[in-house]
Amino acid sequence: MLTGPGRRCWSADVVGLDLSEAQLTAAVRAMGVDRYPLVQGAAEQLPFAADSFDLVFCDFGGLSWAPPHQAVPQAARVLR
């Protein structure tokens, strides 16, 4: 989206996902409850509707703990 000559404005709705309730609790303590939604779930069975995300990003652990042959198709399923 262009907002003026040569200026771009990006916005995103972020959702965090973790299998561990303890990790989600730690994230709320570190970031605050209103930063963005945090959802408990597994990468190999994402609790989101198909075609509901523009980007799926895993920065730590997701593919280390989840079998890639199950997690990657789930990421593809939720992408638009």
Side-chain angles (χ1 to χ4, degrees), residues 28-53:
V28 167
R29 278 196 309 266
M31 299 182 323
V33 71
D34 295 328
R35 180 110 182 237
Y36 50 81
L38 299 172
V39 177
Q40 187 172 9
E44 62 269 31
Q45 190 172 10
L46 293 174
F48 306 112
D51 305 318
S52 56
F53 288 87

Side-chain angles (χ1 to χ4, degrees), residues 18-69:
D18 201 287
L19 184 59
S20 166
E21 186 174 336
Q23 286 294 95
L24 295 172
T25 300
V28 167
R29 278 196 309 266
M31 299 182 323
V33 71
D34 295 328
R35 180 110 182 237
Y36 50 81
L38 299 172
V39 177
Q40 187 172 9
E44 62 269 31
Q45 190 172 10
L46 293 174
F48 306 112
D51 305 318
S52 56
F53 288 87
D54 294 318
L55 175 71
V56 173
F57 176 76
C58 175
D59 72 342
F60 180 78
L63 293 178
S64 297
W65 312 118
H69 70 280

